[in-house]
Amino acid sequence: MCRNITELRGLEPPATEDEVEAAARQYVRKISGIRHPSAAVEEAFEKAVAEVTATTRELLGQMPARRQPPKTVPPLRRPEVQARIAARAGG
């Protein structure tokens, strides 16, 4: 269903809270079909993101170590994405 959702298991260093939340947000956006929730659905949307984030963190904590790291670099670890985030925060 979601080929673009980032693999978080086996990252070194382990996935950060921001990475887990970003993956959860991406999942909720995909299944809901909503990229930017309106005021009418924002509370339900954010609740879903929080629940998926918590469940993902729990799952990652229970999984055994991977033999090999994921094949792709998570978006929040890519230099171009970091630069874009820094530009938004600074300007």
Side-chain angles (χ1 to χ4, degrees):
M1 176 176 108
C2 295
R3 290 179 293 215
N4 295 334
I5 290 183
T6 305
E7 288 185 49
L8 299 177
R9 181 173 159 239
L11 295 177
E12 284 301 327
T16 65
E17 283 300 316
D18 286 344
E19 288 170 324
V20 174
E21 183 186 349
R25 187 167 298 280
Q26 186 179 22
Y27 173 77
V28 172
R29 283 177 178 158
K30 179 72 171 189
I31 63 167
S32 69
I34 299 171
R35 181 154 174 81
H36 301 288
S38 66
V41 299
E42 185 172 17
E43 185 176 337
F45 185 91
E46 292 302 326
K47 180 180 179 201
V49 170
E51 289 175 358
V52 171
T53 299
T55 300
T56 301
R57 176 57 67 202
E58 183 179 332
L59 173 66
L60 291 174
Q62 294 178 13
M63 299 295 292
R66 286 179 71 138
R67 294 184 189 148
Q68 297 179 357
K71 292 180 170 81
T72 59
V73 176
L76 293 181
R77 295 184 183 201
R78 296 178 189 156
E80 67 275 13
V81 174
Q82 287 292 328
R84 201 167 54 234
I85 291 169
R88 266 191 240 144

